[in-house]
Amino acid sequence: MKSKNFGLSRSAFQELLKALKEGDDNLYQQIFLAHFEDCLNFLKRQYKASHHDAYDASMDALVAFCDRLKKERIQYGNLRFLFTRMAGQLYLRKTKDDSRLMELTSEWDVADEPDGDVPADVMDTFNDAWPRLGKGCQKLLKSFFYDQRKLKEIATQLERNEATVRKQKQRCMSKLQEIFQTLCQ
Amino acid sequence: MKLFEKYRVNNINEDELSTVTQQLIKQKFDRELRDKMTYRLKEEYGITRGAAASGRISGRMILRWSLSVAAALLIGIVAWQVVGGHSPTYQSLTKEYLATYYPNNELRKGATEISKKRSEAIAAYNKEDFETSARLREEVVVLPGANSEDYFFLGVSYLYQNPPKGELAIEPLLKGLEDPARTSLLEEETKWYLTLAYVQAGQFAPARELLEERIQKGGWNASKARDLLHSLPLE
């Protein structure tokens, strides 16, 4: 069972999820990067992918898999299979090999449609705005929007009530938007 | 109008604000994760996007690492000899930590007395005229509607003066933390500058307590806190 799950036992998998939810992706990187080369080779062998296409698809899969884990949309059982499947789908989507993609999605639709890319100038301004936001706001917004933690969990950790944290999240979003707007002027 | 344009011109409802914020944060941190993994793949596994995987760590890489380690050791020894192995003092550390000014991103809007005064204080602060900024904030904090950010910027305006006025900074920074609902957006920053104010004022016991709290929490400024804690004189 462990070999199907990147050497992780069920309890180690739970530890990994906990760390990810707390914003620590070191363990995730450590485990999954050790298998990056296997994934590359699988894509090259299975789909005759070029090295850089296989690299991009494996990297996309690593990021998407991490997101799915945090959303608790992946269960312990056969992580290796799901991961390589996801990388395959992402590769076919990128190379627009729709006929082969259909074969894969009909059976296992593991990779989400990607969100539309944020325009580069917007992202540049946002990257300038983010460090100007208070540390408390940064932590709260990242925990909620990126680490996928529930407001209730965040409130418990901060020893505040949920309504206060909800209000604070709203203020933090507004503050971030204000900073963004100031930088746009 | 596209969602990002709405975000830029503040013509956005609550749900849309949440959607855009999520998308921006996700893209930012996904990018960071990608960069970290790209770096680790290259350094630890010798795998890059451009070149085929070498499979295992190459001899060349081991040689490069060995040379890097040797160079780092050599630099360390030379640096130790130059500075005589002295650890930084708490005075030099606080000076270093106060050398970069905390950005002021408050919006200048409104026609009320407090808004006007606040605006002037922000302008002075951003011109690095901290004496004026402190004087104006002193006037702001006695007006109705003063908030924890006003106390924060009053405190840091005292600290950034030359020489820093640690003792004067303590009270407003403590006031900035006196928020029963704990809704301050700058709580961690306020505590950090309060620590520096205590150190500047020679009040090491409360500074030590705040530094230990910062270290225990980890993350932002934890390593700076550790260095400062070790540099404080024993009482």
Side-chain angles (χ1 to χ4, degrees):
Chain A
M1 192 64 166
K2 267 188 170 185
S3 66
K4 287 181 175 178
N5 290 286
F6 299 109
L8 287 168
S9 64
R10 193 176 285 275
S11 61
F13 176 72
Q14 292 306 328
E15 283 298 309
L16 171 71
L17 288 189
K18 190 167 168 260
L20 278 178
K21 287 263 180 189
E22 284 167 5
D24 178 4
D25 53 31
N26 268 322
L27 186 60
Y28 177 77
Q29 288 187 49
Q30 194 182 318
I31 293 161
F32 283 77
L33 290 179
H35 298 277
F36 192 88
E37 199 178 351
D38 294 343
C39 187
L40 272 182
N41 292 336
F42 166 78
L43 294 176
K44 288 178 186 175
R45 195 176 58 242
Q46 186 82 7
Y47 304 106
K48 309 280 178 277
S50 67
H51 175 77
H52 74 258
D53 281 345
Y55 183 98
D56 287 348
S58 304
M59 186 59 84
D60 289 346
L62 275 176
V63 174
F65 204 78
C66 185
D67 186 49
R68 283 210 151 204
L69 281 171
K70 285 189 286 195
K71 286 178 180 160
E72 295 176 27
R73 286 167 66 188
I74 289 177
Q75 303 297 318
Y76 183 79
N78 199 343
L79 300 177
R80 184 188 293 274
F81 174 76
L82 277 176
F83 180 69
T84 46
R85 267 289 156 142
M86 187 180 268
Q89 282 189 358
L90 290 167
Y91 168 74
L92 293 174
R93 216 173 260 168
K94 243 185 186 161
T95 54
K96 311 247 186 284
D97 191 344
D98 291 335
S99 55
R100 299 193 72 183
L101 184 60
M102 285 299 285
E103 285 169 28
L104 271 183
T105 45
S106 58
E107 195 187 348
W108 280 96
D109 191 11
V110 286
D112 289 324
E113 284 294 335
D115 291 332
D117 265 355
V118 179
D121 61 322
V122 173
M123 211 52 230
D124 287 346
T125 311
F126 184 77
N127 283 330
D128 288 341
W130 181 260
R132 294 166 189 239
L133 187 67
K135 299 295 161 205
C137 276
Q138 287 182 10
K139 210 191 255 175
L140 172 55
L141 294 182
K142 180 176 178 281
S143 293
F144 183 77
F145 286 118
Y146 190 70
D147 302 329
Q148 311 283 342
R149 296 185 75 187
K150 293 184 174 65
L151 273 184
K152 199 173 174 182
E153 287 170 35
I154 300 171
T156 309
Q157 193 189 16
L158 296 175
E159 294 171 3
R160 296 178 196 181
N161 71 50
E162 197 178 335
T164 308
V165 175
R166 177 171 291 110
K167 234 180 259 170
Q168 187 161 5
K169 175 176 74 82
Q170 209 59 34
R171 291 176 63 214
C172 290
M173 286 196 294
S174 303
K175 183 83 196 170
L176 184 56
Q177 191 198 5
E178 280 175 12
I179 300 171
F180 182 91
Q181 284 175 284
T182 312
L183 291 174
C184 284
Q185 282 162 8
Chain B
M1 193 188 280
K2 283 186 180 168
L3 212 49
F4 293 114
E5 194 47 39
K6 285 175 147 187
Y7 186 75
R8 203 195 304 261
V9 298
N10 196 18
N11 176 18
I12 200 162
N13 66 39
E14 215 168 278
D15 287 344
E16 288 171 332
L17 177 63
S18 195
T19 305
V20 175
T21 308
Q22 175 161 33
Q23 215 170 327
L24 289 165
I25 289 176
K26 186 170 183 317
Q27 187 138 329
K28 176 183 168 54
F29 287 102
D30 275 353
R31 181 77 260 164
E32 284 185 15
L33 177 62
R34 213 173 270 269
D35 290 345
K36 281 190 275 183
M37 292 194 295
T38 303
Y39 178 80
R40 282 184 75 164
L41 277 172
K42 184 178 170 211
E43 293 299 310
E44 295 171 26
Y45 300 94
I47 301 173
T48 62
R49 184 176 185 266
S54 59
R56 300 285 160 247
I57 297 167
S58 65
R60 203 171 146 196
M61 192 167 279
I62 291 170
L63 178 68
R64 218 173 65 200
W65 283 351
S66 311
L67 287 173
S68 306
V69 170
L73 278 173
L74 191 64
I75 291 167
I77 291 166
V78 171
W80 186 80
Q81 284 187 337
V82 169
V83 298
H86 293 308
S87 307
T89 61
Y90 69 87
Q91 291 97 331
S92 67
L93 285 174
T94 42
K95 194 174 173 192
E96 184 191 323
Y97 298 163
L98 290 171
T100 314
Y101 306 127
Y102 189 85
N104 189 320
N105 301 301
E106 294 168 291
L107 271 198
R108 305 163 194 194
K109 56 185 178 189
T112 56
E113 190 189 353
I114 191 166
S115 302
K116 283 183 190 164
K117 280 261 178 276
R118 196 180 273 144
S119 247
E120 289 169 33
I122 295 167
Y125 183 94
N126 286 336
K127 281 185 201 154
E128 299 178 13
D129 178 359
F130 298 115
E131 281 181 27
T132 308
S133 136
R135 182 174 52 74
L136 291 166
R137 286 282 178 180
E138 283 286 9
E139 292 172 27
V140 169
V141 294
V142 294
L143 294 171
N147 58 34
S148 52
E149 287 187 36
D150 291 315
Y151 284 109
F152 172 79
F153 282 107
L154 173 57
V156 292
S157 294
Y158 279 128
L159 273 176
Y160 289 145
Q161 290 181 28
N162 189 14
K165 294 186 172 150
E167 271 185 46
L168 289 177
I170 292 171
E171 196 190 328
L173 290 169
L174 278 171
K175 285 244 185 216
L177 291 171
E178 268 177 24
D179 177 7
R182 297 182 69 193
T183 53
S184 166
L185 301 182
L186 297 172
E187 188 180 327
E188 292 195 37
E189 288 84 347
T190 308
K191 282 189 177 173
W192 173 249
Y193 284 98
L194 177 61
T195 312
L196 300 183
Y198 278 135
V199 174
Q200 281 291 340
Q203 298 181 28
F204 300 123
R208 195 168 271 123
E209 208 172 292
L210 287 169
L211 287 168
E212 279 164 0
E213 184 187 318
R214 182 72 263 158
I215 295 165
Q216 203 181 357
K217 276 189 180 169
W220 180 67
N221 277 355
S223 64
K224 284 184 178 174
R226 194 170 294 116
D227 293 344
L228 187 54
L229 183 64
H230 290 154
S231 73
L232 290 183
L234 293 171
E235 287 170 310

